């Protein structure tokens, strides 16, 4: 007899999704592949057939990935903030504004109900705070359900569109990644002051990593009320990212060395992506067929437009108006779309975690901007 406990089935599902996803991610079409994001598509497939994974697994994966990225990018963060902070804010506002105009056009020209269209925009931007803000701002349970339906349909479309955009654009530009890394790379490391000795609590830096996660989770849980009854918080992604950047920048607390071994980051990030993508994909696949049968495939096209048009506009603004280097612009752009999978692809494609510095600089502004944008749209 072959019997698996519920926990064993869940663990088996996670790694079956990972195996399938890595195979999908290795498929290249004219040099373009999904990479680790193939796990998300595999999760959608498994979710469609009834596989479910605990939301706590998704949260753990996100914490592992985002804290690792923050710690490794910390040394360059404040340089990015000083040199390009205003440009990142302008880019973020531009992307949200273009998304809002696109959403408005879909409402007016395609006659899509406003709550459904706003939910679709939240899905295209993969913004959970924006979804929550839109649900709170609409009147009635039916309207709130429409917001959620739009989000559920378009969320996987938004993820795939943004991951592919991040891969295709540099190829179209024939970008030299080695050169682009020199434009975003960290400044020369400062020498430690003579006579100051430091030590690690343990060999690899898991103490510093764990401390980052704890403080980041607490920061992300802080909720700030907004006009209209909504609230803003950095959440599970924003809090650990900000704390990771600060800890990575400071590097020590008195005599305690808070710099994890660089070899720690790669495995932690990959494990985090396995857990995050498998759980998020399975969740998105639960009602995918049902929603598409109800609303029709045209919504997929509208969702793709809600993801691609703002990203395209954001790229041209970052390069032609703000004159940002390619990786700086793309790092800020992925944050403007609040897309952790797109950031993961950008890290993989560029070969450097330094792209997380513009991401982290932009991310909190993007959260606030998108929450306010959703509230405005549903009240038009």
């Amino acid at each position: 007899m072959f019997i698996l406990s519920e926990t064993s089935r869940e663990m088996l599902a996670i790694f079956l999704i990972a195996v399938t996803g890595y195979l999908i991610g290795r498929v290249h079409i004219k040099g373009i592949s999904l990479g680790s994001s193939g796990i998300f598509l595999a999760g959608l497939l498994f979710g469609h057939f009834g596989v479910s994974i605990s939301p706590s697994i998704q949260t753990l994966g996100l914490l592992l990935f985002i804290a690792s990225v923050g710690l490794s990018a910390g040394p360059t963060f404040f340089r990015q903030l000083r040199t390009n902070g205003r440009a990142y804010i302008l880019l973020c506002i531009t992307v949200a504004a273009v998304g809002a105009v696109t959403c408005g056009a879909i409402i007016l020209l395609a006659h899509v109900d406003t709550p459904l269209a706003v939910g679709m925009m939240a899905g295209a931007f993969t913004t959970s705070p924006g979804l929550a803000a839109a649900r709170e701002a609409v009147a009635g349970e039916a309207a709130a359900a429409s917001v959620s339906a739009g989000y559920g349909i378009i969320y996987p479309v938004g993820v795939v569109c943004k991951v592919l955009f991040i891969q295709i654009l540099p190829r179209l530009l024939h970008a030299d990644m080695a050169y682009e890394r020199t434009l975003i790379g960290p400044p020369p490391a400062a020498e430690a002051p003579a006579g100051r000795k430091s030590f690690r609590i343990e060999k690899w830096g898991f103490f510093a990593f764990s401390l980052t996660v704890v403080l980041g989770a607490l920061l992300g849980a802080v909720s700030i009320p907004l006009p209209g009854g909504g609230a803003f918080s950095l959440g599970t992604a924003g809090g650990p990212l900000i704390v990771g950047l600060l800890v990575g920048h400071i590097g020590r607390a008195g005599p305690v060395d808070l710099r994890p071994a660089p070899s720690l980051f790669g495995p932690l990030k990959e494990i985090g992506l396995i857990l995050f993508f498998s759980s998020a994909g399975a969740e998105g696949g639960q009602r995918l067929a049902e929603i598409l049968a109800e609303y029709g495939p045209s919504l997929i096209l509208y969702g793709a437009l809600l993801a691609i048009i703002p990203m395209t506009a954001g790229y041209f603004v970052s390069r032609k108006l703000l004159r940002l280097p390619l990786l700086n612009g793309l790092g800020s752009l992925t944050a403007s779309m609040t897309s952790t999978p797109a950031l993961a692809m950008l890290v993989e494609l560029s070969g450097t975690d330094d792209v997380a510095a513009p991401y982290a600089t932009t991310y909190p502004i993007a959260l606030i901007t998108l929450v306010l944008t959703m509230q405005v749209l549903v009240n038009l």
Side-chain angles (χ1 to χ4, degrees):
M1 184 176 292
F2 189 72
I3 300 175
L4 288 174
S5 67
E6 183 177 348
T7 300
S8 297
R9 287 197 300 271
E10 186 172 65
M11 295 301 104
L12 180 62
I14 290 170
F15 291 103
L16 276 175
I17 291 172
V19 168
T20 308
Y22 279 122
L23 292 175
I24 293 173
R26 285 291 294 171
V27 175
H28 287 71
I29 301 176
K30 296 186 177 181
I32 302 299
S33 67
L34 288 175
S36 298
S37 296
I39 301 172
F40 182 83
L41 283 187
L44 286 175
L45 177 64
F46 277 71
H48 171 68
F49 288 105
V51 172
S52 62
I53 297 174
S54 170
S56 61
I57 296 294
Q58 183 175 335
T59 301
L60 175 60
L62 184 58
L63 285 171
L64 290 174
F65 174 78
I66 210 71
S68 298
V69 168
L71 283 166
S72 59
T76 67
F77 173 66
F78 286 97
R79 187 189 68 160
Q80 294 282 351
L81 186 61
R82 287 192 299 268
T83 56
N84 295 316
R86 291 182 180 178
Y88 296 153
I89 292 171
L90 287 173
L91 177 58
C92 172
I93 293 173
T94 298
V95 169
V98 171
V101 171
T102 306
C103 183
I106 289 171
I107 293 170
L108 292 175
L109 301 179
H111 306 293
V112 175
D113 289 341
T114 296
L116 177 61
V118 174
M120 290 165 57
M121 180 177 169
F125 278 69
T126 56
T127 170
S128 298
L131 169 66
R135 282 179 55 88
E136 291 174 357
V138 296
E141 292 183 4
S146 292
V147 172
S148 296
Y151 181 87
I153 295 170
I154 303 304
Y155 183 93
V157 176
V159 170
V160 172
C161 285
K162 286 178 284 189
V163 166
L164 293 178
F165 184 94
I166 290 299
Q167 287 192 88
I168 292 171
L169 181 64
R171 289 178 61 86
L172 292 176
L173 299 174
H174 303 289
D176 181 350
M177 283 301 171
Y179 170 71
E180 295 296 341
R181 285 195 295 270
T182 66
L183 301 182
I184 197 175
E191 295 184 4
R196 293 186 65 186
K197 295 183 178 180
S198 62
F199 67 93
R200 284 181 178 165
I201 301 295
E202 42 70 45
K203 179 181 178 181
W204 295 103
F206 280 107
F207 170 80
F209 180 85
S210 300
L211 181 64
T212 297
V213 171
V214 169
L215 296 179
L218 293 174
L219 177 62
V222 175
S223 181
I224 301 172
L226 294 175
F232 162 76
S233 66
L234 289 172
T236 306
L241 180 59
I242 297 300
V243 172
L245 290 165
L246 291 172
V247 172
H249 172 73
I250 296 168
R252 61 190 301 156
V256 180
D257 189 342
L258 295 178
R259 294 168 299 178
S263 58
L264 183 69
F265 295 129
L268 279 179
K269 286 189 294 183
E270 199 65 23
I271 292 170
L273 288 177
I274 288 174
L275 299 179
F276 175 71
F277 281 147
S278 61
S279 179
E283 181 183 46
Q286 295 288 333
R287 297 188 60 234
L288 191 61
E290 174 189 341
I291 294 171
L292 286 177
E294 181 178 354
Y295 293 101
S298 61
L299 294 186
I300 300 296
L301 172 62
Y302 301 148
L305 293 176
L306 281 165
I308 294 170
I309 292 175
M311 290 195 80
T312 303
Y315 163 72
F316 281 106
V317 168
S318 71
R319 293 290 278 181
K320 306 301 182 182
L321 181 61
L322 302 176
R323 304 292 182 182
L324 289 170
L326 178 63
L327 293 181
N328 294 73
L330 290 180
S332 180
L333 187 57
T334 57
S336 298
M337 300 292 292
T338 63
S339 179
T340 301
L343 172 63
M345 177 53 68
L346 185 58
V347 169
E348 180 181 337
L349 185 68
S350 65
T352 175
D353 284 340
D354 293 328
V355 292
Y359 181 96
T361 308
T362 310
Y363 186 83
I365 306 300
L367 288 178
I368 298 171
T369 302
L370 289 173
V371 164
L372 296 176
T373 299
M374 299 299 167
Q375 291 178 333
V376 171
L377 279 172
V378 296
N379 288 295
L380 288 179

